Amino acid sequence: MADASAEGPPEMFGTVRDRLDFYRDQIHSETTLLCRRSNTYLGVQSFLIVVYASTMANLNEQWGKFFTLIVPLFLALLGVTLSAHAWPGIKASYRLIDHWYAKQTFLLRNERSASDDREGVPLFSHRETMQNGNDKALGFSTRTPWLFASVWVLLGGFSLYVHLAGLAG
């Protein structure tokens, strides 16, 4: 009976195609996770924008001025905080997608059997495997937290300006 340790480590992937399928599964999983994170984040931000607009429209004479100052500022602070908390998760998903995409691109460029179909025609052109295209595709999700954080800073500043201009005038 032969010693199992003398055979060396077992192959993780049986074929190059198995490795390519694994990379694609990882990209798909991470893209799905990024999509869910982005959708949840956008849903929360949309809700906060609607609440902000509603609070700014408060016309109650007894407590309306105080309410339209404090609640919008709180919502702006909450929006910035949520953006700051959403950013690491979105960035982590982006980095993982980028990692697996780079591995897939390297495999497609260096293993002819992974990039050719049965007729010997490449499955992907160079243009489809370029890193720049991946960055552009993921750009919306990675820019959204910064965009909303900026909007919340502007909305908070607007709320302060409206009340300070109202007090001075």
Side-chain angles (χ1 to χ4, degrees):
M1 179 174 226
D3 185 16
S5 62
E7 295 176 13
E11 285 289 322
M12 184 171 182
F13 301 105
T15 65
V16 175
R17 180 61 80 177
D18 290 341
R19 186 181 306 155
L20 181 61
D21 289 342
F22 177 76
Y23 293 162
R24 288 181 177 163
D25 286 344
Q26 294 304 310
I27 292 168
H28 177 69
S29 296
E30 290 301 326
T31 303
T32 300
L33 182 60
L34 177 61
C35 183
R36 288 180 183 158
R37 286 177 176 165
S38 296
N39 285 340
T40 301
Y41 174 75
L42 289 172
V44 168
Q45 293 295 323
S46 298
F47 175 76
L48 287 177
I49 293 286
V50 169
V51 173
Y52 175 88
S54 297
T55 59
M56 289 298 287
N58 187 334
L59 298 175
N60 186 305
E61 290 183 22
Q62 291 180 338
W63 49 274
K65 282 194 179 265
F66 179 75
F67 184 81
T68 57
L69 173 63
I70 299 302
V71 176
L73 287 177
F74 171 75
L75 291 171
L77 180 62
L78 182 61
V80 169
T81 302
L82 290 172
S83 293
H85 284 277
W87 171 245
I90 289 172
K91 184 66 173 175
S93 288
Y94 173 82
R95 284 186 176 159
L96 283 169
I97 291 167
D98 196 42
H99 168 77
W100 292 115
Y101 193 86
K103 288 179 115 10
Q104 173 184 284
T105 301
F106 180 81
L107 183 66
L108 289 171
R109 287 185 181 156
N110 295 309
E111 294 284 345
R112 182 144 177 85
S113 62
S115 63
D116 289 347
D117 68 7
R118 291 183 186 165
E119 291 83 34
V121 179
L123 290 172
F124 297 96
S125 69
H126 176 69
R127 184 174 161 203
E128 292 169 324
T129 59
M130 288 180 3
Q131 186 62 37
N132 191 24
N134 185 45
D135 292 340
K136 287 180 182 178
L138 299 174
F140 175 78
S141 292
T142 57
R143 285 189 294 268
T144 303
W146 295 105
L147 178 66
F148 270 104
S150 301
V151 166
W152 283 116
V153 167
L154 290 172
L155 289 175
F158 174 74
S159 180
L160 274 175
Y161 173 76
V162 165
H163 284 280
L164 292 177
L167 294 175

CSV table of all heavy atoms in Angstrom, one decimal, residues 33-66:
chain,number,residue,atom,x,y,z
A,33,LEU,N,-23.9,40.0,-3.9
A,33,LEU,CA,-23.8,40.6,-2.5
A,33,LEU,C,-23.7,42.1,-2.7
A,33,LEU,O,-24.3,42.9,-1.9
A,33,LEU,CB,-22.6,40.0,-1.8
A,33,LEU,CG,-22.4,40.6,-0.4
A,33,LEU,CD1,-23.6,40.3,0.5
A,33,LEU,CD2,-21.1,39.9,0.2
A,34,LEU,N,-22.8,42.6,-3.6
A,34,LEU,CA,-22.7,44.0,-3.8
A,34,LEU,C,-24.0,44.6,-4.3
A,34,LEU,O,-24.4,45.7,-3.8
A,34,LEU,CB,-21.6,44.3,-4.9
A,34,LEU,CG,-21.4,45.8,-5.2
A,34,LEU,CD1,-21.0,46.6,-4.0
A,34,LEU,CD2,-20.4,45.9,-6.4
A,35,CYS,N,-24.7,44.0,-5.1
A,35,CYS,CA,-26.0,44.4,-5.6
A,35,CYS,C,-27.0,44.6,-4.4
A,35,CYS,O,-27.7,45.6,-4.3
A,35,CYS,CB,-26.6,43.5,-6.7
A,35,CYS,SG,-28.1,44.0,-7.4
A,36,ARG,N,-27.0,43.6,-3.6
A,36,ARG,CA,-27.9,43.6,-2.4
A,36,ARG,C,-27.6,44.8,-1.5
A,36,ARG,O,-28.4,45.5,-1.0
A,36,ARG,CB,-27.9,42.3,-1.7
A,36,ARG,CG,-28.6,41.2,-2.4
A,36,ARG,CD,-28.5,39.9,-1.6
A,36,ARG,NE,-29.1,38.8,-2.4
A,36,ARG,CZ,-28.9,37.5,-2.2
A,36,ARG,NH1,-28.0,37.2,-1.3
A,36,ARG,NH2,-29.5,36.6,-2.9
A,37,ARG,N,-26.3,44.9,-1.2
A,37,ARG,CA,-25.8,46.0,-0.3
A,37,ARG,C,-26.2,47.4,-0.9
A,37,ARG,O,-26.7,48.3,-0.2
A,37,ARG,CB,-24.3,45.9,-0.1
A,37,ARG,CG,-23.9,44.8,0.8
A,37,ARG,CD,-22.4,44.7,0.9
A,37,ARG,NE,-22.1,43.7,1.9
A,37,ARG,CZ,-20.9,43.2,2.1
A,37,ARG,NH1,-19.9,43.6,1.3
A,37,ARG,NH2,-20.7,42.3,3.0
A,38,SER,N,-26.0,47.5,-2.2
A,38,SER,CA,-26.3,48.8,-2.9
A,38,SER,C,-27.8,49.0,-2.9
A,38,SER,O,-28.2,50.2,-2.6
A,38,SER,CB,-25.8,48.8,-4.3
A,38,SER,OG,-24.4,48.7,-4.4
A,39,ASN,N,-28.6,48.0,-3.2
A,39,ASN,CA,-30.0,48.2,-3.2
A,39,ASN,C,-30.6,48.6,-1.8
A,39,ASN,O,-31.4,49.5,-1.6
A,39,ASN,CB,-30.7,47.0,-3.7
A,39,ASN,CG,-30.6,46.8,-5.2
A,39,ASN,OD1,-30.4,47.8,-5.9
A,39,ASN,ND2,-30.8,45.6,-5.6
A,40,THR,N,-30.1,47.9,-0.8
A,40,THR,CA,-30.5,48.2,0.6
A,40,THR,C,-30.1,49.7,1.0
A,40,THR,O,-30.9,50.4,1.5
A,40,THR,CB,-29.8,47.2,1.6
A,40,THR,OG1,-30.3,45.9,1.3
A,40,THR,CG2,-30.2,47.6,3.0
A,41,TYR,N,-28.9,50.0,0.6
A,41,TYR,CA,-28.4,51.4,0.9
A,41,TYR,C,-29.2,52.4,0.2
A,41,TYR,O,-29.6,53.4,0.8
A,41,TYR,CB,-26.9,51.5,0.5
A,41,TYR,CG,-26.3,52.9,0.6
A,41,TYR,CD1,-26.1,53.4,1.9
A,41,TYR,CD2,-26.1,53.7,-0.5
A,41,TYR,CE1,-25.6,54.7,2.0
A,41,TYR,CE2,-25.7,54.9,-0.4
A,41,TYR,CZ,-25.4,55.4,0.9
A,41,TYR,OH,-24.9,56.7,1.0
A,42,LEU,N,-29.5,52.2,-1.1
A,42,LEU,CA,-30.3,53.2,-1.8
A,42,LEU,C,-31.7,53.3,-1.3
A,42,LEU,O,-32.3,54.3,-1.3
A,42,LEU,CB,-30.3,52.8,-3.3
A,42,LEU,CG,-29.0,53.0,-4.1
A,42,LEU,CD1,-29.1,52.4,-5.5
A,42,LEU,CD2,-28.7,54.5,-4.1
A,43,GLY,N,-32.3,52.1,-0.9
A,43,GLY,CA,-33.6,52.1,-0.3
A,43,GLY,C,-33.7,53.0,1.0
A,43,GLY,O,-34.6,53.8,1.2
A,44,VAL,N,-32.7,52.8,1.8
A,44,VAL,CA,-32.6,53.6,3.1
A,44,VAL,C,-32.4,55.1,2.8
A,44,VAL,O,-33.1,55.9,3.4
A,44,VAL,CB,-31.5,53.0,4.0
A,44,VAL,CG1,-31.2,54.0,5.1
A,44,VAL,CG2,-31.8,51.7,4.5
A,45,GLN,N,-31.5,55.4,1.9
A,45,GLN,CA,-31.3,56.8,1.5
A,45,GLN,C,-32.5,57.4,0.9
A,45,GLN,O,-32.9,58.6,1.2
A,45,GLN,CB,-30.1,56.9,0.6
A,45,GLN,CG,-28.8,56.5,1.2
A,45,GLN,CD,-28.4,57.5,2.3
A,45,GLN,OE1,-28.6,58.7,2.3
A,45,GLN,NE2,-27.8,56.9,3.4
A,46,SER,N,-33.2,56.7,0.1
A,46,SER,CA,-34.5,57.2,-0.5
A,46,SER,C,-35.5,57.5,0.6
A,46,SER,O,-36.2,58.6,0.5
A,46,SER,CB,-35.1,56.2,-1.5
A,46,SER,OG,-34.2,56.0,-2.6
A,47,PHE,N,-35.6,56.6,1.5
A,47,PHE,CA,-36.6,56.8,2.6
A,47,PHE,C,-36.2,58.1,3.4
A,47,PHE,O,-37.0,58.9,3.7
A,47,PHE,CB,-36.6,55.6,3.5
A,47,PHE,CG,-37.4,55.8,4.8
A,47,PHE,CD1,-38.8,55.7,4.7
A,47,PHE,CD2,-36.8,56.0,6.0
A,47,PHE,CE1,-39.6,55.9,5.8
A,47,PHE,CE2,-37.6,56.2,7.1
A,47,PHE,CZ,-39.0,56.2,7.0
A,48,LEU,N,-34.9,58.2,3.7
A,48,LEU,CA,-34.5,59.4,4.4
A,48,LEU,C,-34.7,60.7,3.7
A,48,LEU,O,-35.1,61.7,4.3
A,48,LEU,CB,-33.0,59.3,4.8
A,48,LEU,CG,-32.6,58.3,5.9
A,48,LEU,CD1,-31.1,58.2,6.0
A,48,LEU,CD2,-33.3,58.6,7.2
A,49,ILE,N,-34.5,60.7,2.4
A,49,ILE,CA,-34.8,61.9,1.5
A,49,ILE,C,-36.2,62.3,1.6
A,49,ILE,O,-36.6,63.5,1.8
A,49,ILE,CB,-34.3,61.7,0.1
A,49,ILE,CG1,-32.8,61.5,0.0
A,49,ILE,CG2,-34.9,62.8,-0.8
A,49,ILE,CD1,-32.0,62.8,0.1
A,50,VAL,N,-37.1,61.3,1.5
A,50,VAL,CA,-38.6,61.6,1.6
A,50,VAL,C,-38.9,62.2,3.0
A,50,VAL,O,-39.7,63.1,3.1
A,50,VAL,CB,-39.4,60.3,1.3
A,50,VAL,CG1,-40.9,60.5,1.7
A,50,VAL,CG2,-39.2,59.9,-0.1
A,51,VAL,N,-38.4,61.6,4.0
A,51,VAL,CA,-38.6,62.1,5.4
A,51,VAL,C,-38.1,63.5,5.6
A,51,VAL,O,-38.7,64.4,6.2
A,51,VAL,CB,-38.1,61.1,6.5
A,51,VAL,CG1,-38.2,61.7,7.9
A,51,VAL,CG2,-38.8,59.8,6.4
A,52,TYR,N,-36.9,63.7,5.0
A,52,TYR,CA,-36.3,65.1,5.1
A,52,TYR,C,-37.2,66.1,4.4
A,52,TYR,O,-37.5,67.2,5.0
A,52,TYR,CB,-34.9,65.1,4.4
A,52,TYR,CG,-34.3,66.4,4.3
A,52,TYR,CD1,-33.5,66.9,5.4
A,52,TYR,CD2,-34.5,67.2,3.2
A,52,TYR,CE1,-32.9,68.2,5.3
A,52,TYR,CE2,-33.9,68.5,3.1
A,52,TYR,CZ,-33.2,69.0,4.2
A,52,TYR,OH,-32.6,70.2,4.1
A,53,ALA,N,-37.7,65.8,3.2
A,53,ALA,CA,-38.6,66.7,2.5
A,53,ALA,C,-39.8,66.9,3.3
A,53,ALA,O,-40.3,68.1,3.3
A,53,ALA,CB,-38.9,66.2,1.1
A,54,SER,N,-40.4,65.9,3.9
A,54,SER,CA,-41.6,66.1,4.7
A,54,SER,C,-41.4,66.9,5.9
A,54,SER,O,-42.3,67.7,6.2
A,54,SER,CB,-42.1,64.7,5.1
A,54,SER,OG,-42.4,63.9,4.0
A,55,THR,N,-40.3,66.8,6.6
A,55,THR,CA,-40.0,67.6,7.8
A,55,THR,C,-39.8,69.1,7.4
A,55,THR,O,-40.2,69.9,8.1
A,55,THR,CB,-38.8,67.1,8.6
A,55,THR,OG1,-37.7,67.1,7.7
A,55,THR,CG2,-39.1,65.7,9.1
A,56,MET,N,-39.2,69.3,6.3
A,56,MET,CA,-39.0,70.7,5.8
A,56,MET,C,-40.3,71.4,5.5
A,56,MET,O,-40.3,72.6,5.5
A,56,MET,CB,-38.0,70.7,4.7
A,56,MET,CG,-36.5,70.4,5.1
A,56,MET,SD,-35.8,71.5,6.3
A,56,MET,CE,-35.6,73.0,5.3
A,57,ALA,N,-41.3,70.6,5.1
A,57,ALA,CA,-42.6,71.2,4.7
A,57,ALA,C,-43.5,71.4,5.9
A,57,ALA,O,-44.7,71.8,5.7
A,57,ALA,CB,-43.2,70.3,3.7
A,58,ASN,N,-43.1,71.2,7.1
A,58,ASN,CA,-43.9,71.3,8.3
A,58,ASN,C,-44.3,72.8,8.5
A,58,ASN,O,-43.4,73.6,8.6
A,58,ASN,CB,-43.1,70.8,9.5
A,58,ASN,CG,-44.0,70.8,10.8
A,58,ASN,OD1,-44.9,71.5,10.9
A,58,ASN,ND2,-43.7,69.9,11.7
A,59,LEU,N,-45.6,73.1,8.6
A,59,LEU,CA,-46.0,74.4,8.7
A,59,LEU,C,-46.7,74.7,10.1
A,59,LEU,O,-47.3,75.7,10.3
A,59,LEU,CB,-47.1,74.7,7.6
A,59,LEU,CG,-46.5,74.7,6.2
A,59,LEU,CD1,-47.6,74.9,5.2
A,59,LEU,CD2,-45.4,75.6,6.0
A,60,ASN,N,-46.5,73.8,11.1
A,60,ASN,CA,-47.1,74.0,12.4
A,60,ASN,C,-46.5,75.3,13.0
A,60,ASN,O,-45.3,75.4,13.1
A,60,ASN,CB,-46.8,72.8,13.2
A,60,ASN,CG,-47.4,72.8,14.6
A,60,ASN,OD1,-47.3,73.8,15.3
A,60,ASN,ND2,-48.2,71.8,14.9
A,61,GLU,N,-47.4,76.2,13.5
A,61,GLU,CA,-46.9,77.4,14.0
A,61,GLU,C,-46.2,77.3,15.4
A,61,GLU,O,-45.3,78.1,15.7
A,61,GLU,CB,-48.0,78.4,14.1
A,61,GLU,CG,-48.5,78.9,12.7
A,61,GLU,CD,-49.6,79.9,12.8
A,61,GLU,OE1,-49.7,80.6,13.9
A,61,GLU,OE2,-50.3,80.1,11.8
A,62,GLN,N,-46.7,76.3,16.2
A,62,GLN,CA,-46.1,76.2,17.6
A,62,GLN,C,-44.7,75.6,17.6
A,62,GLN,O,-43.9,76.1,18.3
A,62,GLN,CB,-47.1,75.3,18.4
A,62,GLN,CG,-48.4,76.0,18.7
A,62,GLN,CD,-49.3,75.1,19.6
A,62,GLN,OE1,-49.1,73.9,19.6
A,62,GLN,NE2,-50.2,75.7,20.3
A,63,TRP,N,-44.5,74.6,16.9
A,63,TRP,CA,-43.2,73.9,17.0
A,63,TRP,C,-42.6,73.6,15.6
A,63,TRP,O,-41.6,73.0,15.5
A,63,TRP,CB,-43.3,72.6,17.8
A,63,TRP,CG,-44.4,71.7,17.4
A,63,TRP,CD1,-45.7,71.7,17.9
A,63,TRP,CD2,-44.4,70.6,16.5
A,63,TRP,NE1,-46.4,70.8,17.3
A,63,TRP,CE2,-45.6,70.0,16.5
A,63,TRP,CE3,-43.4,70.1,15.7
A,63,TRP,CZ2,-45.9,69.0,15.7
A,63,TRP,CZ3,-43.7,69.0,14.9
A,63,TRP,CH2,-45.0,68.5,14.9
A,64,GLY,N,-43.2,74.2,14.6
A,64,GLY,CA,-42.7,74.0,13.2
A,64,GLY,C,-41.3,74.4,13.0
A,64,GLY,O,-40.5,73.7,12.3
A,65,LYS,N,-40.9,75.6,13.4
A,65,LYS,CA,-39.6,76.1,13.2
A,65,LYS,C,-38.5,75.3,13.9
A,65,LYS,O,-37.5,74.9,13.3
A,65,LYS,CB,-39.4,77.6,13.6
A,65,LYS,CG,-40.0,78.6,12.7
A,65,LYS,CD,-39.6,80.0,13.0
A,65,LYS,CE,-40.2,80.9,12.0
A,65,LYS,NZ,-39.3,81.2,10.9
A,66,PHE,N,-38.8,74.9,15.1
A,66,PHE,CA,-37.8,74.1,15.8
A,66,PHE,C,-37.7,72.7,15.2
A,66,PHE,O,-36.7,72.2,15.0
A,66,PHE,CB,-38.3,73.9,17.3
A,66,PHE,CG,-37.4,73.0,18.1
A,66,PHE,CD1,-36.2,73.5,18.6
A,66,PHE,CD2,-37.8,71.8,18.5
A,66,PHE,CE1,-35.4,72.7,19.3
A,66,PHE,CE2,-37.0,70.9,19.2
A,66,PHE,CZ,-35.8,71.4,19.7
